[in-house]
Amino acid sequence: MSGSEWTCRLSSMHEWESPYYEPSLPVSEKSNPLTRDIDRASSGCIVRMLQACDSQMFLEEAGATYQRLMSDGVVETLMEVAKKVELILKDPRDSLVVLSGCGTSGRLAFLVTSAFNRALKELNQSPVYSYIIAGGDKALFSSQEAPEDDPKLGMLSLKEACEGKKRVLFIGISCGLSAPFVAGQLDLCLQNPQVYTPVLVGFNPTHQARDEPIPGCSFTFRSVVQRMEGLAKSQKAFLINPAVGPEAISGSSRMKGGSATKILLEVVLSAAHAAAFTHTPITQQGILQHMRAYEKTLEIPCAHNEGMSALLEAAGKSLQRGRRVCYLGWGSLGVLGLVDASECVPTFGADYEDVRGFISGGYNELKNNEGPLGPDFRISHEDFLHLVLPSLDDHDMVLLIYTQTDDVSDVEKLARRVREKTSNLHAVYHRVDGDTAATVQQDDINKLCLSSLRITWPSPASGLLQMQWELCTKLFLNALSTGAHVLKGKIYQNHMMDLQVTNSKLYCRATRLLQKLSGCPESKCEEALLKAVYKVDNLTVEITSSDISTHTHTARTRTKVVPLALVCLLTGCSLAEAELRLEQQPIFSAQYRLFHIGQCDVSQPQSLRGPTHTCTGLVCRVCI
Ligand code: F1P
């Protein structure tokens, strides 16, 4: 993309806010105009597009349609919630702060509660934070989408976590204001106000909260939100729901939704800790200052664009060859690696082995509720050495993720082991300016690596800095795994084609996508989707009369459901034929273009093809 094209693209920063832009969709499901043709962009351009999307998190309100992260109303609510947490910190008897969510939201609940319980431990205080993730701890590192649809499970897990407690501040996170699991928990809180004070974190305005009936319940997510709005006036419930703009890959709330969740929760809990333990009053100024530190963090990746696109290119190459990308992390950055890797499965239809994360110390470092999760969830560096390293070669990419506060000699040792098998070794590490500790070892590690992204921070290491390192790492990893899958051809325009249809939100998203790409009516698209889910060319009454939960349950074991349905819709062919076509042309974006353009369009401007592009004929990702 040329400079002027990019400037023009940036002017569409606010386009999604127009009431006419995809009006039937909530912000969290809209497609982002900035990434409309990310599927045809070069790696450098992908990096810039993702950064531009991230920067929308901090757009000014400026008379806009939606409130923002730093809008007065949002900051005020953050202060009120921080004061509630402060009260619990000062008198923690029989009290608890519970953070809960599904998928990425639950993973961030885990990350944040771990960090702040650790901070309490360092102050000799007992822990007051607890996390819940739909589907239990295995959902920390794998996709467990079905429990997200279960409000009763949500209620039960909250009751269980709070047994014997007299005062609970419940923070439910659902980026799309949509997960029935969280709606059930909020409803429980509203029914028991003597114990629970509910807080909702999400990134849609309240009128866009999901209003579909929840089987077996008299409430919808939206009706719960409306009840909370009523109570918010008397501070008996709190809503924190700024808009951060549509995701770079439509609906992929692990990206901005996850980052903004992390920012909001950390701002609230940090303010509460400062108030309770260092007599620092909770002020608007203090909250804004912390937010601005995060805003600055977003600038860091921009300063490393070149290194970042080289990493993305390397990861893309490995995935294109059907090889692996492995993250080897230390401390909380290791957790972020585990999380980012595991999210590739549901987000891109990736294989479990495609992108994997490992953390130094394994479960001992993690200290999750359920402890070690068994042989299907091996996460330590030792596991990597035994199970993965022996099969690696130069086509597999390995990324070291660490900071200067980690055991750098351990990093060096592991780097040497990896180098024996692959030269495709890279590093991302954070250090503070002027710190010369372990410089020799750092240099040795750099020499072992094909590329190293050294991120130098100005201030001395502190709690805030650790959180900034984490945010920066999350942005890097999200960009890396997203970009690599874009390069692999997994995305069409800015839509994930091969999404799993394993809960009602994803089922509705899949039907909508089929409508958009085929131009067929909704009923026809749902029919095609069901045929692909049940692997039949004719639907039986038993299938059509079943509810969505039966469909999503069946879809758990199916692959390529949406691509198959789309090929059938576009060509009118049978499922077997569609399967064959996808086998011959697995890069779905190319498959889709074939139907529309018919052949390789070599007349496209070079700017659209990217600098490193060479046309390879029909399967070419860029030209077709
Ligand atoms: C929760 C979630 C996402 C995941 C996927 C399915 O969404 O599990 O984390 O990436 O899109 O839904 P939400 O409740 O936070 O909106």
Side-chain angles (χ1 to χ4, degrees), residues 200-255:
L200 171 60
V201 174
F203 303 100
N204 284 321
T206 53
H207 68 273
Q208 292 180 359
R210 194 165 165 204
D211 207 23
E212 268 158 55
I214 303 173
C217 289
S218 56
F219 55 81
T220 65
F221 205 107
R222 190 177 303 171
S223 74
V224 170
V225 169
Q226 283 162 346
R227 276 150 68 204
M228 286 182 69
E229 276 183 306
L231 292 168
K233 295 179 191 104
S234 51
Q235 301 199 355
K236 293 200 171 77
F238 300 91
L239 290 148
I240 305 173
N241 61 321
V244 291
E247 296 290 351
I249 304 302
S250 310
S252 182
S253 54
R254 75 185 194 113
M255 303 184 82

Side-chain angles (χ1 to χ4, degrees), residues 502-519:
T502 40
N503 66 35
S504 59
K505 178 175 82 175
L506 300 171
Y507 183 89
C508 296
R509 189 184 294 163
T511 312
R512 244 184 0 247
L513 188 57
L514 290 171
Q515 266 178 278
K516 177 169 178 172
L517 300 183
S518 72

